[in-house]
Amino acid sequence: MSDLPSADDRPHRVLTVLTTTDSAESAEALAREAVGARLAACAQVSAPVTSVYRWEGEVQQEQEWQIVFKVAARGYQALEERLRSVHPYDVPEILATPVVHGSAEYRAWVEEETA
């Protein structure tokens, strides 16, 4: 038996990062920007969702498109900085969640594609 930690015992090396934007075109542009710059291995754009939120003291309701990026944890800061610089929102939603479990091959691919 090996003393090395299993793949799922290592610190989280892959994240999913979520953001939203106001149009399919904007979502696709953000996805292409991140993948093209190797800041994300993959970006998935979801169909419109209805977002209800408070902004500047008012309850708002809008259609938004979600983008989920697959990112190596070591590159998160660079992705966040890029998203902030090109995102159309004043205060973009940028949320990162560690991938706790996942296939070793997929996680390795994410790290390789963002190296």
Side-chain angles (χ1 to χ4, degrees):
M1 191 178 302
S2 171
D3 290 328
L4 295 174
S6 72
D8 288 327
D9 291 337
R10 293 184 302 221
H12 306 301
R13 298 184 345 189
V14 174
L15 306 172
T16 59
V17 178
L18 171 73
T19 194
T20 56
T21 192
D22 59 352
S23 70
E25 295 78 20
S26 177
E28 291 167 11
L30 290 171
R32 287 190 154 296
E33 171 81 19
V35 173
R38 299 184 75 93
L39 299 173
C42 173
Q44 296 170 314
V45 176
S46 295
V49 297
T50 300
S51 294
V52 179
Y53 55 95
R54 184 175 298 280
W55 180 250
E56 297 181 345
E58 299 283 330
V59 175
Q60 307 287 325
Q61 181 173 327
E62 301 289 339
Q63 277 198 330
E64 294 186 298
W65 282 254
Q66 291 182 333
I67 308 110
V68 178
F69 302 93
K70 301 344 182 295
V71 181
R74 64 178 151 54
Y76 170 79
Q77 193 61 45
L79 174 64
E80 181 182 329
E81 289 171 10
R82 181 69 60 94
L83 288 175
R84 286 180 181 280
S85 73
V86 299
H87 203 289
Y89 289 179
D90 293 339
V91 182
E93 171 186 27
I94 304 172
L95 303 173
T97 305
V99 174
V100 177
H101 298 283
S103 75
E105 296 85 2
Y106 188 84
R107 290 182 299 163
W109 173 78
V110 169
E111 292 193 49
E112 179 181 313
E113 289 303 314
T114 57

